[in-house]
Amino acid sequence: VAGTTKLTVTVTNPHVMQVGDTVTLSGVTGSPTANTALTITAIPDRTSFEATLTGAGPTYSGGTVSHQGRYYKYRLWVAVHASAAVRVTVSDK
């Protein structure tokens, strides 16, 4: 984690977070504390995200990111090969 107001957080594995999602940082070392809930403001790539933290210090390390994603009731992505027979059923139950 690095930044002065903009916090850039790098994670080990690719993520599916989106701008506007809320994350909670815990166990992060550095001053002032970055252990708080933050709203994602940018996604530079799939292993990092940015958020705003007023008065953020220049360097942080360690910690855990907790993320509760937003889910859309009817959002669906399907990729089908041209020679495959597929039936897709969408239900709100």
Side-chain angles (χ1 to χ4, degrees):
V1 181
T4 302
T5 296
K6 175 180 77 173
L7 231 52
T8 301
V9 179
T10 302
V11 295
T12 304
N13 298 312
H15 63 76
V16 295
M17 295 180 254
Q18 300 177 30
V19 170
D21 284 359
T22 300
V23 295
T24 301
L25 303 182
S26 59
V28 177
T29 58
S31 182
T33 186
N35 296 309
T36 188
L38 302 167
T39 301
I40 295 175
T41 58
I43 305 286
D45 57 53
R46 287 292 158 212
T47 57
S48 65
F49 62 88
E50 295 175 358
T52 301
L53 178 64
T54 304
T59 305
Y60 294 92
S61 64
T64 302
V65 176
S66 299
H67 170 248
Q68 178 62 47
R70 295 176 293 159
Y71 299 95
Y72 299 94
K73 194 172 187 178
Y74 296 107
R75 183 177 278 183
L76 176 69
W77 292 271
V78 178
V80 179
H81 190 274
S83 66
V86 175
R87 176 176 27 180
V88 176
T89 304
V90 178
S91 173
D92 65 348
K93 296 178 179 157

